[in-house]
Amino acid sequence: MSFLYSLIDTLLPFEWTEFDFMKNALLAILLITPLFGLVGTMIVNNRMSFFSDALGHSALTGIAIGVLMGIDNYFISMLGFALLFALCISAVMGSNASSADTVIGVFSSTGLALGIVLLSATGGFAKYSGYLIGDILTIQPEELILLAVLLCLTVVLWIFFFNKFLLASLNPDLAASKNIRVELLQRVFVVLIALIVTSCIKWVGILIINSLLVLPAASARNLSGSMRSYHVWSVAISLFSGVSGLILSYYLGTAAGGTIVLVAAAIFFASFVYGRVRRGHS
């Protein structure tokens, strides 16, 4: 870690890099934003933005379960509940009993309400309300390892299974005819989203994590002309939003997560206008 600190000091000799917590936050941003940029493309393609939002809401229930069970490491209870929550949503959606947005809406509101009720009943809601907005500045060096592992896992999955993921999402029947196990791929993808959301919720926040997953990919769709450029734009916009938002939050004295989202939102609106202008001239 000292090597990375020295490298940051050499490459970025600015006032904000004098603090170790800002260096840790920068390293976290460099790991989280490519992760969100990659996964966000598939979330947007599959119209699953509400799904990742529902998983974020379920984090409160996971924390509450951890409190009730006396689990000191809330990440374990959050992850366990998020995985169960994600698989349940996926199973109900697969039954075609109701529309996807209805199913996700029901699970999302239920998960959030249950978490609030359980935490308020134990008198500890205020203690855990920090999870709502997160704080990237509190991340510790050892926690960066988890983010690095998640990023590597996601990249490996994208390299070997992206084409299958894409085909299964665009045309499940065609994918099944090519002996692609569509339901298994869907389960793997929702588990991946659950892992990412749960792992990052402490630093990003329940209220804005979905925005960071969706906005860069949505902006990239307005700018890209191919699947390759779509991913490149999404990762680039996510990285730029993260780094610039972190730096702006330092000088403005604002919350890092919210500032990053505002930068990403500004890019989205600019890309939206550009996309309309480009289509108007074509």
Side-chain angles (χ1 to χ4, degrees):
M1 190 60 65
S2 57
F3 169 74
L4 292 176
Y5 284 176
S6 299
L7 186 61
I8 292 173
D9 288 333
T10 302
L11 297 177
L12 302 170
F14 303 114
E15 175 189 339
W16 60 274
T17 58
E18 295 175 2
F19 305 98
D20 286 350
F21 67 86
M22 287 297 292
K23 293 173 186 174
N24 291 335
L26 176 62
L27 292 172
I29 290 294
L30 294 178
L31 292 170
I32 289 176
T33 50
L35 183 63
F36 282 13
L38 280 177
V39 177
T41 58
M42 192 62 69
I43 289 175
V44 171
N45 277 348
N46 291 354
R47 299 178 181 178
M48 293 178 68
S49 58
F50 287 122
F51 180 81
S52 54
D53 196 36
L55 285 176
H57 289 167
S58 74
L60 277 181
T61 304
I63 295 171
I65 292 173
V67 172
L68 293 174
M69 296 180 64
I71 299 174
D72 293 330
N73 189 345
Y74 299 127
F75 174 72
I76 296 174
S77 58
M78 278 196 300
L79 180 58
F81 183 76
L83 291 174
L84 178 62
F85 196 77
L87 292 173
C88 285
I89 294 178
S90 181
V92 175
M93 287 173 58
S95 67
N96 295 319
S98 299
S99 61
D101 59 341
T102 300
V103 171
I104 294 172
V106 169
F107 273 85
S108 178
S109 56
T110 303
L112 180 60
L114 181 59
I116 293 173
V117 168
L118 291 177
L119 285 176
S120 60
T122 59
F125 180 74
K127 180 180 177 181
Y128 305 103
S129 59
Y131 282 89
L132 293 175
I133 57 174
D135 190 357
I136 194 72
L137 302 182
T138 63
I139 194 166
Q140 300 300 309
E142 59 271 15
E143 293 172 321
L144 294 171
I145 298 174
L146 172 63
L147 297 180
V149 170
L150 268 177
L151 179 59
C152 291
L153 174 62
T154 302
V155 170
V156 169
L157 283 174
W158 245 240
I159 291 173
F160 291 101
F161 297 103
F162 173 75
N163 289 334
K164 292 182 179 180
F165 278 137
L166 183 62
L167 183 58
S169 65
L170 295 177
N171 195 327
D173 293 331
L174 178 60
S177 69
K178 294 181 176 295
N179 296 320
I180 296 175
R181 301 179 65 179
V182 176
E183 289 189 4
L184 178 60
L185 283 177
Q186 291 173 342
R187 299 291 190 276
V188 170
F189 186 61
V190 299
V191 166
L192 177 63
I193 298 175
L195 282 169
I196 292 172
V197 169
T198 305
S199 301
C200 300
I201 211 82
K202 177 181 177 182
W203 309 300
V204 178
I206 292 169
L207 297 179
I208 60 175
I209 191 167
N210 191 56
S211 302
L212 292 180
L213 278 165
V214 173
L215 283 172
S219 302
R221 286 192 71 172
N222 295 327
L223 300 172
S224 60
S226 66
M227 189 57 65
R228 182 185 296 275
S229 64
Y230 180 30
H231 281 79
V232 171
W233 272 114
S234 182
V235 172
I237 292 170
S238 189
L239 272 168
F240 177 81
S241 301
V243 174
S244 59
L246 176 66
I247 297 172
L248 281 173
S249 71
Y250 173 80
Y251 288 107
L252 296 176
T254 54
T259 308
I260 292 170
V261 169
L262 287 178
V263 173
I267 294 173
F268 169 77
F269 287 118
S271 70
F272 177 76
V273 172
Y274 173 78
R276 288 181 64 89
V277 171
R278 185 179 62 177
R279 286 193 294 271
H281 289 295
S282 61

